């Protein structure tokens, strides 16, 4: 014989019940069945609501009662053939009248006793089971209805009654051994006390009812039919990548169900455990799916971590003080007082010094628990031997569960380091000697990030999801997004990196989508987004609190450069091609670096110097390996190199600068490039990355621009001044030809001094043949003395700058 249980969503309405009947008909061809059903979806909550309203003398209970009646009558008319409806309607109406009598009594008395509460709450299952039994008889005449209250006997602990298994097993065994029906339909959740009062087995108790029946008849298996394909590796509503668990042990299932895996009511396992009756978790809406098998023989070769679960709304209570050290009975007093207050302790940890005990309880019990604890330890608190109980709210317990964890070293370390990398602060830790469960208490706001991060680490083949918040989608930004779109599949398959752009913004609009923006449509989505607002952008990024978050700044905006600290403090990495932050005051540069270390949030800016060239990365490796930079010579402006390489007698200076802007080589304000400010920023960044403290004003800028050009305030006036002073630029070109040299804008650093300026480069210099928009850097170090370390290549352009930003993002993914 098999026992099948169908939950509230499976019997939510006539359409769903038809699916249940199809499953039962199919299963009944092979085995006798006991079918346990829950109340129609939402009915138990409606019953509880009606009883509370009635006890509070709120006549709204009558409206709720009428809704309950209509819900069942509609189900009957849609599910049961007309010829069978009348008899069933009379029966259901009679029981609803009994329910009304109980509710009326609550209203008149203005109270709701535990016994009456159980009687009312149990009507949902009683009504649904009779409707389903009648509907089933239409296709399976050899089926019947049986009231579970005649088989399952409990004590009188109303609300969560304790089953008397000796009596119940005898009644169950006797009934089913003499029953000839192929299928018996029974209501879940309800039982009766020895004096025949209705009792209930706790919310979710229909699973428990089914397990009790399975144990009583020594069933071949117990099948729990629900609306998901089994138990999952994590809550699929929070972790989209969660997978069904094919095989799991009873103990693992118990641990997961205790820690919030709502697909199974925790007490369900105990009745079938000793009898070794396997439990199947199946999906009513996808009956062919494999589901989850709970047994004594799970797959030994499977992942040692079977699942990650959590309990919300936890309060952490800490009792500490020197008066606890070496004093016998402190723990006993603590737990005794909590027991007297009927407060369930979910989590316990104690320091080996005996100086403190931490316990986790439900948030709703926190105030009552603190009052009780402070009262029982009143004398010690008054004597300053023990501190008043400390309460921390808005916490959550996250648990890693697996029977085989004890046979695999380092799982705890992986768990803690994974959470630490995402700045998830662990408030308390508990691990039993069985090593079947590692539990941590964290802030409730971090639960989504924590579950996704851990699931990624233990279940997704080490695929790392990076969530990008992109600010600036001009020439470089557009190329960057195109590169992500093009390489997304490759990165996932080959580097195990899943890139998602969750936010994009320009100066006018911004658009967020937590599940990842469809990059083929990003322009239209952004255009129809909300009005851009930097503060709201920051707030939204914080609110989402996604794992492996990266803020990507592809602007040249000073205001955007000033907000990096707000991201770093939230453990959001920063990748930027904006040079302003790293060339700002030295204290700010160091501050951003320190925040990066403190909050474990990478701060990468490779494209600040040389666009996509690996200049800063190479420099970092030199310094990390113990080398020392003594001198730097460099051409660091791809735009200026492009300009002076193309400037000639036939191609005037004004037109070349214009073309450089069209090609995307200059900043939006070309004066930044031509004034030498951009190059000064770049050499300053290299100097600082070499370990030397220096400010922008310490760099000598030998500008080649006339004063009038420097004093312009708009791009138009700047270009007009270039035309006006064309003779000045022609003279520079002529002088270079006379000296058989080429014009290059060079940055230099040596002996603690730095300068930038236009130089006449002779033909024997490695800078002479620098073509197009290329950059070149020479590092003279303790190891590279006579022949410098030289890096050369394209140092400007939207595509290469975007690739440099892309490379920084990938660096973070590979950490």
């Amino acid at each position: 014989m098999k026992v099948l249980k169908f939950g509230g969503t499976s019997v939510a309405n006539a359409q769903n019940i038809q699916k249940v009947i199809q499953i039962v008909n199919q299963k009944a061809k092979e085995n006798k069945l006991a079918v346990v059903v829950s109340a129609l979806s939402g009915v138990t909550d409606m019953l509880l609501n009606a009883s509370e309203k009635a006890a509070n003398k709120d006549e709204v209970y009558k409206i709720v009662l009428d809704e309950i009646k209509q819900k069942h009558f509609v189900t009957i008319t849609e599910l049961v053939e007309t010829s069978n409806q009348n008899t069933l309607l009379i029966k259901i109406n009679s029981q609803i009248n009994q329910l009304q009598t109980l509710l009326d009594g609550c209203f008149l008395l203005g109270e709701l006793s535990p016994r009456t509460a159980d009687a009312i709450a149990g009507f949902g299952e009683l009504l649904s089971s009779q409707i389903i039994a009648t509907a089933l008889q239409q296709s399976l005449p050899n089926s019947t209805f049986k009231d579970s209250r005649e088989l399952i006997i409990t004590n009188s602990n109303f609300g969560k009654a304790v089953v008397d298994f000796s009596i119940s097993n005898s009644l169950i065994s006797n009934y089913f051994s003499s029953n000839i029906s192929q299928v018996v339909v029974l209501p879940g959740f309800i039982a009766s006390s020895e004096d025949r009062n209705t009792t209930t087995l706790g919310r979710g108790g229909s699973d428990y009812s089914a397990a009790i029946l399975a144990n009583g008849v020594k069933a071949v298996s117990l099948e729990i039919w629900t609306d998901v394909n089994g138990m999952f590796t994590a809550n699929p509503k929070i972790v989209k990548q969660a997978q069904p668990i094919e095989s799991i042990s009873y103990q693992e299932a118990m641990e997961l169900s205790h820690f919030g895996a709502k697909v199974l009511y925790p007490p369900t396992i105990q009745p079938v455990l000793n009898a070794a009756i396997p439990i199947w978790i199946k999906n009513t809406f996808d009956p062919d799916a494999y589901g989850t098998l709970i047994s004594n023989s799970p797959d030994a070769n499977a992942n040692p971590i079977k699942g990650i679960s959590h309990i919300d709304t936890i309060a952490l209570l800490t009792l500490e003080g020197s008066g606890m050290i070496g004093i016998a009975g402190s723990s006993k007093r603590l737990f005794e007082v909590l027991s007297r207050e009927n407060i369930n302790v979910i989590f316990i940890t104690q320091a080996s010094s005996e100086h403190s005990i931490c316990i986790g309880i439900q948030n709703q019990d926190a105030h009552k628990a603190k009052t009780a604890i402070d009262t029982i330890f009143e004398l010690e608190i008054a004597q300053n031997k023990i501190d008043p109980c400390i309460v921390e709210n808005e916490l959550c317990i996250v648990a890693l569960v697996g029977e085989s964890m004890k046979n695999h070293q380092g799982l705890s370390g992986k768990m803690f380091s994974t959470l630490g990398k995402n700045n998830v602060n662990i408030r308390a830790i508990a691990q039993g000697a069985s090593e079947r469960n590692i539990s941590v208490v964290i802030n409730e706001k971090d639960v989504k990030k924590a579950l996704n991060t851990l699931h990624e680490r233990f279940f997704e083949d080490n695929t790392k999801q990076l969530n990008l918040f992109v600010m600036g989608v001009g020439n470089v930004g557009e190329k960057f997004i195109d590169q992500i779109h093009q390489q997304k599949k490759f990165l996932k398959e080959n580097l195990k990196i899943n890139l998602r752009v969750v936010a994009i913004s320009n100066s006018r609009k911004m658009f967020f989508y937590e599940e990842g923006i469809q990059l083929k449509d990003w322009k239209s989505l952004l255009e129809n987004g909300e009005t851009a607002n930097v503060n709201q952008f920051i707030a939204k990024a914080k609110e989402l609190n996604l794992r492996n978050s990266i803020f990507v700044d592809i602007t040249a905006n000073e205001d955007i450069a000033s907000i990096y600290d707000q991201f770093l403090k939230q453990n959001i990495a920063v990748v930027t091609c904006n040079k302003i932050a790293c060339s700002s005051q030295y204290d700010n540069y160091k501050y951003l670096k320190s925040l990066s270390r403190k909050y474990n949030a990478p701060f990468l800016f490779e494209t600040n110097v040389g666009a996509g060239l690996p200049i800063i990365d190479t420099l970092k490796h030199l310094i990390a390996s113990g080398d020392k930079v003594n001198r730097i010579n460099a051409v660091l402006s791809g735009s200026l190199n492009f300009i002076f390489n193309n400037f000639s007698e036939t191609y005037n200076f004004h037109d070349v600068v214009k073309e450089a802007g069209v090609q995307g080589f200059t900043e939006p304000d070309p004066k930044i490039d031509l004034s030498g400010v951009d190059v000064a920023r770049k050499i300053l960044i290299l100097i600082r990355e070499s370990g030397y403290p220096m400010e922008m004003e310490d760099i000598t800028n030998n500008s080649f621009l006339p004063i009038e050009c420097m004093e312009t305030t708009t791009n138009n006036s700047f270009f007009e001044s270039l035309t006006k002073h064309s003779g000045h630029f022609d003279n520079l070109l002529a002088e270079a030809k006379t000296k058989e040299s080429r014009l290059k804008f060079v940055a230099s650093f040596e002996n603690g001094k730095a300068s930038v300026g236009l130089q006449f480069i002779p033909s024997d210099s490695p800078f002479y043949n620098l073509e197009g928009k290329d950059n070149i850097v020479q590092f003279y170090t303790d190891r590279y003395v006579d022949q410098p370390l030289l890096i050369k290549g394209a140092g400007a352009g939207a595509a290469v700058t975007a690739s440099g930003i892309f490379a920084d993002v990938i660096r973070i993914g590979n950490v």
Side-chain angles (χ1 to χ4, degrees), residues 305 307-309 397-401 405 410-422 424 426 428-431 437-442 450-451 453-454 457-458:
I305 308 296
I308 306 161
S309 201
I397 298 175
V398 172
L400 217 60
V401 173
M405 284 164 56
L411 293 178
S412 298
K414 288 178 183 177
M415 180 185 191
F416 302 147
S417 65
T418 300
L419 292 174
K421 284 178 181 177
N422 273 274
V424 176
I426 297 173
I429 302 167
Q431 180 174 9
N437 177 318
I438 307 171
S439 301
V440 296
V441 178
I442 64 172
L451 291 175
T453 300
L454 291 172
R457 180 67 182 83
F458 290 107

Side-chain angles (χ1 to χ4, degrees), residues 610-613 615 638 770-776 792-797 800-801:
L613 294 176
I615 296 172
L770 198 63
E771 299 296 337
K773 58 184 180 297
D774 285 0
N775 280 190
I776 187 170
K792 178 182 176 183
V800 292
T801 304

Side-chain angles (χ1 to χ4, degrees), residues 420-421 423 564-575 588-605 620 812:
K421 284 178 181 177
N423 205 38
Y564 294 169
D565 61 328
Q566 297 190 54
F567 289 105
L568 294 171
K569 287 176 182 176
Q570 296 296 318
N571 182 240
I572 298 175
V574 173
V575 169
N588 184 58
Y589 162 82
K590 293 296 288 183
Y591 175 60
L592 293 175
K593 288 272 197 169
S594 68
L595 288 179
S596 173
R597 290 190 296 271
K598 180 178 180 180
Y599 293 99
N600 197 28
F603 175 40
L604 301 182
F605 42 89
K620 284 180 178 178
I812 293 173

Side-chain angles (χ1 to χ4, degrees), residues 72 181 218 258 281 363 382 402 418 437 443 529 536 620 670 690 716 773 793:
H72 288 89
S181 299
K218 299 296 181 278
H258 172 70
I281 310 295
N363 249 348
T418 300
N437 177 318
N443 196 304
Q536 288 180 15
K620 284 180 178 178
S690 299
N716 286 337
K773 58 184 180 297

Side-chain angles (χ1 to χ4, degrees), residues 1 92 102 158 181 184 210 229 239 244 252 256 287 344 348 396 430 463 481 508 519 567 573 578 625 641 678 711:
M1 184 172 191
I92 296 301
L102 290 171
F158 298 102
S181 299
V184 179
N229 290 341
V239 181
E252 289 168 331
L256 283 175
N344 182 39
I348 306 168
C396 171
T463 297
I481 292 175
R508 298 179 298 103
L519 296 184
F567 289 105
N578 187 340
S625 68
N641 201 43
D678 188 58
E711 291 177 347

Side-chain angles (χ1 to χ4, degrees), residues 372-586:
I373 293 169
D374 285 349
T375 300
I376 201 70
F377 289 99
E378 186 175 11
L379 178 60
E380 290 88 346
I381 292 172
Q383 295 173 342
N384 293 322
K385 292 181 178 179
I386 293 178
D387 298 331
C389 179
I390 300 168
V391 179
E392 297 172 77
N393 292 304
E394 298 180 351
L395 300 174
C396 171
I397 298 175
V398 172
L400 217 60
V401 173
E403 186 74 33
S404 302
M405 284 164 56
K406 58 192 172 189
N407 301 321
H408 292 76
Q409 291 74 32
L411 293 178
S412 298
K414 288 178 183 177
M415 180 185 191
F416 302 147
S417 65
T418 300
L419 292 174
K421 284 178 181 177
N422 273 274
N423 205 38
V424 176
N425 186 35
I426 297 173
R427 298 291 302 109
I429 302 167
Q431 180 174 9
S434 68
E435 297 185 54
R436 190 182 294 130
N437 177 318
I438 307 171
S439 301
V440 296
V441 178
I442 64 172
N443 196 304
E444 205 165 53
K445 71 178 178 63
D446 289 327
V447 66
K448 183 174 183 179
K449 181 195 285 189
L451 291 175
N452 278 278
T453 300
L454 291 172
H455 194 274
E456 189 176 77
R457 180 67 182 83
F458 290 107
F459 291 102
E460 296 176 39
D461 195 23
N462 281 333
T463 297
K464 193 171 188 177
Q465 181 174 291
L466 304 182
N467 296 294
L468 308 186
F469 297 80
V470 180
M471 183 81 77
V473 284
N475 288 339
V476 177
E478 184 173 346
K479 293 289 185 184
F480 174 66
I481 292 175
D482 288 346
Q483 288 175 11
I484 293 175
H485 192 200
Q486 176 187 328
Q487 290 297 105
K488 189 174 174 65
K489 184 178 179 182
F490 173 85
L491 292 173
K492 193 166 185 179
E493 291 177 355
N494 294 275
L495 299 184
K496 303 299 182 185
I497 294 174
N498 181 22
L499 272 186
R500 294 196 318 180
V501 177
V502 297
I504 48 177
S505 178
N506 57 23
S507 59
R508 298 179 298 103
K509 296 281 188 176
M510 63 183 188
F511 179 76
F512 284 78
Y513 184 57
E514 184 178 350
E515 301 304 318
I517 295 169
Q518 291 292 324
L519 296 184
K520 62 183 178 65
D521 303 321
W522 74 267
K523 289 183 180 179
S524 61
L525 291 170
L526 178 59
E527 193 58 38
N528 292 297
E530 57 190 300
T531 302
N533 182 293
V534 172
N535 291 330
Q536 288 180 15
F537 190 95
I538 297 168
K540 185 71 172 175
K542 290 179 181 178
E543 178 190 335
L544 287 174
N545 196 24
L546 300 174
R547 69 194 186 280
N548 306 322
S549 292
I550 305 172
F551 173 64
V552 184
D553 178 15
I554 316 180
T555 74
N557 189 299
E558 186 171 358
D559 291 336
I560 304 304
S562 70
I563 63 173
Y564 294 169
D565 61 328
Q566 297 190 54
F567 289 105
L568 294 171
K569 287 176 182 176
Q570 296 296 318
N571 182 240
I572 298 175
V574 173
V575 169
T576 180
C577 62
N578 187 340
K579 294 174 278 291
I580 294 174
C582 289
S583 60
S584 62
Q585 292 297 308
Y586 183 75

Side-chain angles (χ1 to χ4, degrees), residues 70-86:
Q70 290 305 314
K71 188 177 182 75
H72 288 89
F73 278 22
V74 167
T75 303
I76 291 170
T77 55
E78 293 178 352
L79 194 63
V80 178
E81 294 171 358
T82 307
S83 58
N84 298 325
Q85 283 182 15
N86 196 45

